[in-house]
Amino acid sequence: MKDEQKKKITEMRRQGRGYAEIADVVKLPQGTVKSFCWRNQIANANLTDKTKPSKNGCRNCGCQLEKKADAPPRKFCSDQCRSEWWSKNRKPNSSAVCTCCHKEFSYYGKTVRKYCSHDCFIKDRFGGTS
Ligand SMILES: [Zn+2]
Ligand SMILES: [Zn+2]
């Protein structure tokens, strides 16, 4: 194993990445990565150290988030990433029929939704003259 790979493994592991992902990046078998981490006691930062800055990465795309001292920590870099992540990780518990395109759609949340998408909302509201 090259020093370069060791460094990369350590770095990624500290960021809370999975073995499979790391193995893919350093092009080593997953088992090698795993035993290297165990031998060197490189723990998943997300489990052991909650103060590590890598926790500030966007949960959806993993990009680094700016941290403002007076603001609560953000979990996503953008609203788009937030909704993408939730739609992937949360099961919808509501469904409705879109007022605009009359398609049935499902979503998560308690609020009543009339439109399947923002596009439909705009279309119905402004008659497509956006
Ligand atoms: Zn993001
Ligand atoms: Zn619609």
Side-chain angles (χ1 to χ4, degrees), residues 11-62:
E11 190 189 304
M12 288 186 78
R13 195 66 193 138
R14 291 240 163 91
Q15 287 170 359
R17 308 301 185 89
Y19 292 122
E21 199 188 340
I22 301 170
D24 201 51
V25 168
V26 297
K27 302 202 165 34
L28 287 167
Q30 228 184 98
T32 309
V33 173
K34 222 183 258 188
S35 57
F36 172 80
C37 288
W38 284 344
R39 246 183 299 130
N40 293 278
Q41 306 210 313
I42 304 163
N44 185 334
N46 288 341
L47 300 174
T48 54
D49 189 353
K50 292 189 168 65
T51 62
K52 278 275 188 299
S54 53
K55 270 215 80 173
N56 296 323
C58 171
R59 278 162 90 171
N60 186 54
C61 69

CSV table of all heavy atoms in Angstrom, one decimal, residues 11-62:
chain,number,residue,atom,x,y,z
A,11,GLU,N,-8.1,9.9,5.6
A,11,GLU,CA,-8.8,11.1,5.3
A,11,GLU,C,-10.3,10.8,5.1
A,11,GLU,O,-11.2,11.4,5.7
A,11,GLU,CB,-8.2,11.8,4.1
A,11,GLU,CG,-8.7,13.2,3.8
A,11,GLU,CD,-8.2,13.7,2.4
A,11,GLU,OE1,-7.0,13.7,2.2
A,11,GLU,OE2,-9.1,14.0,1.6
A,12,MET,N,-10.6,9.9,4.2
A,12,MET,CA,-12.0,9.6,3.9
A,12,MET,C,-12.7,8.9,5.1
A,12,MET,O,-13.9,9.2,5.3
A,12,MET,CB,-12.0,8.6,2.7
A,12,MET,CG,-11.7,9.3,1.4
A,12,MET,SD,-11.9,8.2,-0.1
A,12,MET,CE,-13.7,8.3,-0.3
A,13,ARG,N,-12.0,8.1,5.8
A,13,ARG,CA,-12.6,7.4,6.9
A,13,ARG,C,-13.0,8.4,8.0
A,13,ARG,O,-14.0,8.3,8.6
A,13,ARG,CB,-11.6,6.4,7.5
A,13,ARG,CG,-12.2,5.4,8.4
A,13,ARG,CD,-13.2,4.5,7.7
A,13,ARG,NE,-14.0,3.8,8.7
A,13,ARG,CZ,-15.3,3.6,8.6
A,13,ARG,NH1,-16.0,4.0,7.6
A,13,ARG,NH2,-16.0,2.9,9.5
A,14,ARG,N,-12.1,9.4,8.2
A,14,ARG,CA,-12.4,10.5,9.1
A,14,ARG,C,-13.6,11.3,8.7
A,14,ARG,O,-14.3,11.9,9.5
A,14,ARG,CB,-11.2,11.4,9.3
A,14,ARG,CG,-10.0,10.7,9.9
A,14,ARG,CD,-9.6,11.4,11.2
A,14,ARG,NE,-8.8,10.5,12.0
A,14,ARG,CZ,-7.5,10.5,12.0
A,14,ARG,NH1,-6.8,11.3,11.1
A,14,ARG,NH2,-6.8,9.7,12.8
A,15,GLN,N,-13.9,11.3,7.4
A,15,GLN,CA,-15.0,12.0,6.9
A,15,GLN,C,-16.3,11.2,7.0
A,15,GLN,O,-17.4,11.6,6.6
A,15,GLN,CB,-14.8,12.4,5.4
A,15,GLN,CG,-13.8,13.5,5.3
A,15,GLN,CD,-13.5,13.7,3.8
A,15,GLN,OE1,-13.9,13.0,2.9
A,15,GLN,NE2,-12.6,14.7,3.5
A,16,GLY,N,-16.1,10.0,7.5
A,16,GLY,CA,-17.3,9.1,7.7
A,16,GLY,C,-17.7,8.4,6.5
A,16,GLY,O,-18.8,7.9,6.4
A,17,ARG,N,-16.8,8.2,5.5
A,17,ARG,CA,-17.1,7.5,4.3
A,17,ARG,C,-17.1,6.0,4.6
A,17,ARG,O,-16.4,5.5,5.4
A,17,ARG,CB,-16.1,7.8,3.2
A,17,ARG,CG,-15.9,9.2,2.9
A,17,ARG,CD,-17.2,9.9,2.5
A,17,ARG,NE,-17.0,11.3,2.1
A,17,ARG,CZ,-16.7,11.6,0.9
A,17,ARG,NH1,-16.6,10.8,-0.1
A,17,ARG,NH2,-16.5,12.9,0.6
A,18,GLY,N,-17.8,5.3,3.8
A,18,GLY,CA,-17.9,3.8,3.9
A,18,GLY,C,-16.7,3.1,3.3
A,18,GLY,O,-16.0,3.7,2.5
A,19,TYR,N,-16.4,1.9,3.7
A,19,TYR,CA,-15.3,1.1,3.2
A,19,TYR,C,-15.4,0.9,1.7
A,19,TYR,O,-14.4,1.0,1.0
A,19,TYR,CB,-15.2,-0.2,3.9
A,19,TYR,CG,-14.9,-0.2,5.3
A,19,TYR,CD1,-15.7,-0.7,6.3
A,19,TYR,CD2,-13.7,0.4,5.8
A,19,TYR,CE1,-15.4,-0.7,7.6
A,19,TYR,CE2,-13.4,0.5,7.1
A,19,TYR,CZ,-14.2,-0.1,8.0
A,19,TYR,OH,-13.9,0.0,9.4
A,20,ALA,N,-16.6,0.7,1.2
A,20,ALA,CA,-16.8,0.4,-0.2
A,20,ALA,C,-16.4,1.6,-1.0
A,20,ALA,O,-15.7,1.5,-2.0
A,20,ALA,CB,-18.2,0.0,-0.5
A,21,GLU,N,-16.8,2.8,-0.6
A,21,GLU,CA,-16.5,4.0,-1.3
A,21,GLU,C,-15.0,4.3,-1.3
A,21,GLU,O,-14.4,4.6,-2.3
A,21,GLU,CB,-17.3,5.1,-0.6
A,21,GLU,CG,-17.4,6.3,-1.5
A,21,GLU,CD,-18.0,7.5,-0.7
A,21,GLU,OE1,-18.6,7.3,0.3
A,21,GLU,OE2,-17.8,8.7,-1.2
A,22,ILE,N,-14.4,4.1,-0.1
A,22,ILE,CA,-12.9,4.3,0.0
A,22,ILE,C,-12.2,3.4,-0.9
A,22,ILE,O,-11.3,3.7,-1.7
A,22,ILE,CB,-12.5,4.2,1.5
A,22,ILE,CG1,-13.2,5.1,2.4
A,22,ILE,CG2,-11.0,4.4,1.6
A,22,ILE,CD1,-13.0,4.9,3.9
A,23,ALA,N,-12.5,2.1,-0.8
A,23,ALA,CA,-11.9,1.1,-1.6
A,23,ALA,C,-11.9,1.4,-3.1
A,23,ALA,O,-11.0,1.2,-3.8
A,23,ALA,CB,-12.5,-0.3,-1.4
A,24,ASP,N,-13.0,1.9,-3.5
A,24,ASP,CA,-13.2,2.3,-4.9
A,24,ASP,C,-12.3,3.5,-5.3
A,24,ASP,O,-11.7,3.5,-6.4
A,24,ASP,CB,-14.7,2.8,-5.1
A,24,ASP,CG,-15.1,2.7,-6.5
A,24,ASP,OD1,-14.9,1.6,-7.1
A,24,ASP,OD2,-15.6,3.7,-7.0
A,25,VAL,N,-12.1,4.4,-4.4
A,25,VAL,CA,-11.3,5.6,-4.7
A,25,VAL,C,-9.8,5.2,-4.7
A,25,VAL,O,-9.1,5.6,-5.6
A,25,VAL,CB,-11.5,6.7,-3.6
A,25,VAL,CG1,-10.5,7.8,-3.8
A,25,VAL,CG2,-12.9,7.3,-3.8
A,26,VAL,N,-9.3,4.4,-3.7
A,26,VAL,CA,-7.9,4.1,-3.7
A,26,VAL,C,-7.6,2.9,-4.5
A,26,VAL,O,-6.4,2.5,-4.6
A,26,VAL,CB,-7.4,3.9,-2.2
A,26,VAL,CG1,-7.6,5.2,-1.4
A,26,VAL,CG2,-8.2,2.8,-1.5
A,27,LYS,N,-8.6,2.2,-5.1
A,27,LYS,CA,-8.4,1.1,-5.9
A,27,LYS,C,-7.8,-0.1,-5.2
A,27,LYS,O,-6.8,-0.7,-5.7
A,27,LYS,CB,-7.7,1.4,-7.2
A,27,LYS,CG,-8.4,2.5,-8.0
A,27,LYS,CD,-8.0,2.6,-9.4
A,27,LYS,CE,-8.9,3.4,-10.2
A,27,LYS,NZ,-9.5,4.6,-9.6
A,28,LEU,N,-8.3,-0.4,-4.0
A,28,LEU,CA,-7.8,-1.5,-3.2
A,28,LEU,C,-9.0,-2.3,-2.8
A,28,LEU,O,-10.1,-1.8,-2.8
A,28,LEU,CB,-7.1,-1.0,-2.0
A,28,LEU,CG,-5.7,-0.4,-2.1
A,28,LEU,CD1,-5.3,0.3,-0.8
A,28,LEU,CD2,-4.6,-1.4,-2.5
A,29,PRO,N,-8.8,-3.6,-2.5
A,29,PRO,CA,-9.9,-4.4,-2.1
A,29,PRO,C,-10.5,-3.9,-0.8
A,29,PRO,O,-9.7,-3.4,0.1
A,29,PRO,CB,-9.3,-5.8,-1.8
A,29,PRO,CG,-7.9,-5.8,-2.4
A,29,PRO,CD,-7.5,-4.4,-2.6
A,30,GLN,N,-11.8,-4.0,-0.6
A,30,GLN,CA,-12.5,-3.5,0.5
A,30,GLN,C,-11.8,-4.1,1.8
A,30,GLN,O,-11.7,-3.4,2.8
A,30,GLN,CB,-13.9,-3.9,0.5
A,30,GLN,CG,-14.8,-2.7,0.8
A,30,GLN,CD,-16.3,-3.2,0.8
A,30,GLN,OE1,-16.9,-3.4,1.8
A,30,GLN,NE2,-16.9,-3.3,-0.4
A,31,GLY,N,-11.5,-5.4,1.8
A,31,GLY,CA,-10.9,-6.0,3.0
A,31,GLY,C,-9.6,-5.4,3.4
A,31,GLY,O,-9.3,-5.3,4.6
A,32,THR,N,-8.8,-5.0,2.4
A,32,THR,CA,-7.5,-4.3,2.7
A,32,THR,C,-7.8,-3.0,3.4
A,32,THR,O,-7.1,-2.6,4.4
A,32,THR,CB,-6.7,-4.0,1.4
A,32,THR,OG1,-6.7,-5.3,0.7
A,32,THR,CG2,-5.4,-3.6,1.7
A,33,VAL,N,-8.7,-2.2,2.9
A,33,VAL,CA,-9.1,-1.0,3.5
A,33,VAL,C,-9.6,-1.2,4.9
A,33,VAL,O,-9.2,-0.4,5.8
A,33,VAL,CB,-10.2,-0.3,2.6
A,33,VAL,CG1,-10.7,1.0,3.3
A,33,VAL,CG2,-9.6,0.1,1.3
A,34,LYS,N,-10.4,-2.1,5.1
A,34,LYS,CA,-11.0,-2.4,6.4
A,34,LYS,C,-10.0,-2.7,7.4
A,34,LYS,O,-9.9,-2.2,8.5
A,34,LYS,CB,-12.0,-3.6,6.2
A,34,LYS,CG,-13.3,-3.4,7.0
A,34,LYS,CD,-14.2,-4.6,6.9
A,34,LYS,CE,-15.3,-4.4,5.9
A,34,LYS,NZ,-16.3,-5.4,5.9
A,35,SER,N,-9.1,-3.7,7.0
A,35,SER,CA,-8.1,-4.1,8.0
A,35,SER,C,-7.1,-3.0,8.3
A,35,SER,O,-6.5,-2.9,9.4
A,35,SER,CB,-7.4,-5.4,7.6
A,35,SER,OG,-6.8,-5.2,6.3
A,36,PHE,N,-6.8,-2.2,7.3
A,36,PHE,CA,-5.9,-1.0,7.5
A,36,PHE,C,-6.5,-0.1,8.6
A,36,PHE,O,-5.9,0.4,9.5
A,36,PHE,CB,-5.7,-0.3,6.2
A,36,PHE,CG,-4.9,1.0,6.4
A,36,PHE,CD1,-3.6,1.1,6.5
A,36,PHE,CD2,-5.6,2.2,6.4
A,36,PHE,CE1,-2.9,2.3,6.7
A,36,PHE,CE2,-5.0,3.4,6.6
A,36,PHE,CZ,-3.6,3.5,6.7
A,37,CYS,N,-7.8,0.2,8.4
A,37,CYS,CA,-8.5,1.0,9.4
A,37,CYS,C,-8.5,0.5,10.8
A,37,CYS,O,-8.3,1.2,11.7
A,37,CYS,CB,-10.0,1.3,8.9
A,37,CYS,SG,-10.1,2.3,7.5
A,38,TRP,N,-8.7,-0.9,10.8
A,38,TRP,CA,-8.8,-1.5,12.2
A,38,TRP,C,-7.4,-1.4,12.8
A,38,TRP,O,-7.3,-1.1,14.0
A,38,TRP,CB,-9.2,-2.9,12.0
A,38,TRP,CG,-10.7,-3.0,11.8
A,38,TRP,CD1,-11.6,-2.1,12.0
A,38,TRP,CD2,-11.5,-4.2,11.3
A,38,TRP,NE1,-12.9,-2.5,11.7
A,38,TRP,CE2,-12.8,-3.8,11.3
A,38,TRP,CE3,-11.1,-5.5,10.9
A,38,TRP,CZ2,-13.8,-4.7,10.8
A,38,TRP,CZ3,-12.1,-6.3,10.5
A,38,TRP,CH2,-13.4,-5.9,10.5
A,39,ARG,N,-6.4,-1.8,12.0
A,39,ARG,CA,-5.0,-1.8,12.5
A,39,ARG,C,-4.6,-0.4,13.1
A,39,ARG,O,-3.9,-0.3,14.1
A,39,ARG,CB,-4.0,-2.3,11.5
A,39,ARG,CG,-3.4,-3.6,11.8
A,39,ARG,CD,-2.4,-4.0,10.8
A,39,ARG,NE,-3.1,-4.2,9.4
A,39,ARG,CZ,-2.6,-3.6,8.3
A,39,ARG,NH1,-1.5,-2.9,8.4
A,39,ARG,NH2,-3.2,-3.8,7.2
A,40,ASN,N,-5.0,0.6,12.3
A,40,ASN,CA,-4.6,1.9,12.7
A,40,ASN,C,-5.7,2.7,13.5
A,40,ASN,O,-5.5,3.9,13.8
A,40,ASN,CB,-4.3,2.7,11.4
A,40,ASN,CG,-3.0,2.2,10.8
A,40,ASN,OD1,-1.9,2.5,11.1
A,40,ASN,ND2,-3.2,1.3,9.8
A,41,GLN,N,-6.7,1.9,13.8
A,41,GLN,CA,-7.8,2.5,14.7
A,41,GLN,C,-8.3,3.8,14.1
A,41,GLN,O,-8.5,4.8,14.8
A,41,GLN,CB,-7.3,2.7,16.1
A,41,GLN,CG,-6.7,1.4,16.7
A,41,GLN,CD,-6.9,1.4,18.2
A,41,GLN,OE1,-6.6,2.3,18.9
A,41,GLN,NE2,-7.4,0.2,18.6
A,42,ILE,N,-8.5,3.8,12.8
A,42,ILE,CA,-9.2,4.9,12.2
A,42,ILE,C,-10.7,4.7,12.3
A,42,ILE,O,-11.2,3.9,11.6
A,42,ILE,CB,-8.7,5.1,10.8
A,42,ILE,CG1,-7.2,5.2,10.7
A,42,ILE,CG2,-9.4,6.4,10.2
A,42,ILE,CD1,-6.7,4.9,9.3
A,43,ALA,N,-11.3,5.5,13.2
A,43,ALA,CA,-12.7,5.3,13.4
A,43,ALA,C,-13.5,6.2,12.5
A,43,ALA,O,-13.0,7.3,12.0
A,43,ALA,CB,-13.0,5.5,14.8
A,44,ASN,N,-14.7,5.8,12.3
A,44,ASN,CA,-15.6,6.7,11.6
A,44,ASN,C,-15.9,7.9,12.4
A,44,ASN,O,-16.4,7.8,13.5
A,44,ASN,CB,-16.9,6.0,11.3
A,44,ASN,CG,-17.9,6.8,10.5
A,44,ASN,OD1,-17.9,8.0,10.5
A,44,ASN,ND2,-18.8,6.1,9.8
A,45,ALA,N,-15.5,9.1,11.9
A,45,ALA,CA,-15.6,10.3,12.7
A,45,ALA,C,-17.0,10.6,13.2
A,45,ALA,O,-17.3,11.1,14.2
A,45,ALA,CB,-15.1,11.5,11.9
A,46,ASN,N,-18.0,10.2,12.3
A,46,ASN,CA,-19.4,10.4,12.7
A,46,ASN,C,-19.8,9.7,13.9
A,46,ASN,O,-20.7,10.1,14.6
A,46,ASN,CB,-20.3,10.0,11.5
A,46,ASN,CG,-20.1,11.0,10.4
A,46,ASN,OD1,-19.7,12.1,10.5
A,46,ASN,ND2,-20.5,10.6,9.2
A,47,LEU,N,-19.1,8.6,14.2
A,47,LEU,CA,-19.5,7.8,15.4
A,47,LEU,C,-18.8,8.2,16.6
A,47,LEU,O,-19.3,8.1,17.7
A,47,LEU,CB,-19.3,6.3,15.1
A,47,LEU,CG,-20.0,5.7,13.9
A,47,LEU,CD1,-19.6,4.3,13.6
A,47,LEU,CD2,-21.5,5.8,14.1
A,48,THR,N,-17.5,8.6,16.4
A,48,THR,CA,-16.7,8.8,17.6
A,48,THR,C,-16.5,10.2,18.0
A,48,THR,O,-16.3,10.6,19.1
A,48,THR,CB,-15.3,8.1,17.4
A,48,THR,OG1,-14.8,8.7,16.2
A,48,THR,CG2,-15.5,6.6,17.3
A,49,ASP,N,-16.4,11.1,17.0
A,49,ASP,CA,-16.1,12.5,17.3
A,49,ASP,C,-17.0,13.4,16.6
A,49,ASP,O,-17.0,13.6,15.4
A,49,ASP,CB,-14.6,12.7,16.8
A,49,ASP,CG,-14.2,14.1,17.3
A,49,ASP,OD1,-15.0,14.9,17.9
A,49,ASP,OD2,-13.0,14.4,17.1
A,50,LYS,N,-17.9,14.0,17.4
A,50,LYS,CA,-18.9,14.8,16.8
A,50,LYS,C,-18.5,16.3,16.5
A,50,LYS,O,-19.2,17.1,16.0
A,50,LYS,CB,-20.1,14.9,17.8
A,50,LYS,CG,-20.8,13.5,17.8
A,50,LYS,CD,-22.2,13.6,18.5
A,50,LYS,CE,-23.0,12.3,18.3
A,50,LYS,NZ,-22.3,11.2,18.9
A,51,THR,N,-17.2,16.6,16.9
A,51,THR,CA,-16.8,17.9,16.7
A,51,THR,C,-16.0,18.1,15.5
A,51,THR,O,-15.6,19.2,15.1
A,51,THR,CB,-15.9,18.4,17.9
A,51,THR,OG1,-14.8,17.5,18.0
A,51,THR,CG2,-16.7,18.3,19.2
A,52,LYS,N,-15.7,17.0,14.8
A,52,LYS,CA,-14.9,17.1,13.5
A,52,LYS,C,-15.6,17.9,12.5
A,52,LYS,O,-16.8,17.8,12.3
A,52,LYS,CB,-14.7,15.7,13.0
A,52,LYS,CG,-13.6,14.9,13.6
A,52,LYS,CD,-12.3,15.3,12.9
A,52,LYS,CE,-11.1,14.4,13.4
A,52,LYS,NZ,-10.9,14.5,14.8
A,53,PRO,N,-14.9,18.8,11.8
A,53,PRO,CA,-15.5,19.7,10.8
A,53,PRO,C,-16.1,19.0,9.6
A,53,PRO,O,-17.0,19.5,9.0
A,53,PRO,CB,-14.3,20.6,10.4
A,53,PRO,CG,-13.1,19.8,10.8
A,53,PRO,CD,-13.4,19.0,12.0
A,54,SER,N,-15.6,17.7,9.4
A,54,SER,CA,-16.1,17.0,8.2
A,54,SER,C,-17.6,16.8,8.4
A,54,SER,O,-18.3,16.4,7.4
A,54,SER,CB,-15.4,15.7,8.1
A,54,SER,OG,-15.4,15.0,9.2
A,55,LYS,N,-18.2,16.9,9.6
A,55,LYS,CA,-19.6,16.7,9.8
A,55,LYS,C,-20.4,17.7,9.0
A,55,LYS,O,-21.6,17.6,8.8
A,55,LYS,CB,-19.9,16.7,11.2
A,55,LYS,CG,-19.9,15.3,11.9
A,55,LYS,CD,-20.9,15.2,12.9
A,55,LYS,CE,-22.3,14.9,12.3
A,55,LYS,NZ,-23.3,14.5,13.3
A,56,ASN,N,-19.7,18.8,8.7
A,56,ASN,CA,-20.4,19.9,8.0
A,56,ASN,C,-20.7,19.7,6.6
A,56,ASN,O,-21.2,20.6,5.9
A,56,ASN,CB,-19.7,21.2,8.3
A,56,ASN,CG,-19.6,21.6,9.7
A,56,ASN,OD1,-20.5,21.4,10.4
A,56,ASN,ND2,-18.4,22.1,10.1
A,57,GLY,N,-20.3,18.6,6.1
A,57,GLY,CA,-20.5,18.3,4.6
A,57,GLY,C,-22.0,18.1,4.4
A,57,GLY,O,-22.8,17.7,5.2
A,58,CYS,N,-22.4,18.5,3.2
A,58,CYS,CA,-23.8,18.4,2.7
A,58,CYS,C,-24.1,16.9,2.8
A,58,CYS,O,-23.4,16.0,2.3
A,58,CYS,CB,-23.9,18.9,1.3
A,58,CYS,SG,-25.5,18.5,0.6
A,59,ARG,N,-25.3,16.6,3.3
A,59,ARG,CA,-25.7,15.2,3.5
A,59,ARG,C,-26.0,14.5,2.1
A,59,ARG,O,-26.0,13.3,2.0
A,59,ARG,CB,-26.8,15.0,4.4
A,59,ARG,CG,-26.4,15.0,5.9
A,59,ARG,CD,-27.6,15.3,6.7
A,59,ARG,NE,-28.3,14.1,7.1
A,59,ARG,CZ,-29.2,14.1,8.0
A,59,ARG,NH1,-29.6,15.2,8.6
A,59,ARG,NH2,-29.8,13.0,8.3
A,60,ASN,N,-26.3,15.4,1.2
A,60,ASN,CA,-26.7,14.8,-0.1
A,60,ASN,C,-25.5,14.7,-1.0
A,60,ASN,O,-25.3,13.6,-1.5
A,60,ASN,CB,-27.8,15.7,-0.7
A,60,ASN,CG,-28.3,15.1,-2.0
A,60,ASN,OD1,-28.8,14.0,-2.0
A,60,ASN,ND2,-28.3,15.9,-3.1
A,61,CYS,N,-24.8,15.8,-1.3
A,61,CYS,CA,-23.7,15.7,-2.2
A,61,CYS,C,-22.4,15.6,-1.6
A,61,CYS,O,-21.4,15.4,-2.2
A,61,CYS,CB,-23.8,16.9,-3.2
A,61,CYS,SG,-23.4,18.5,-2.4
A,62,GLY,N,-22.3,15.9,-0.3
A,62,GLY,CA,-21.0,15.7,0.5
A,62,GLY,C,-20.1,16.9,0.3
A,62,GLY,O,-19.0,16.9,0.9
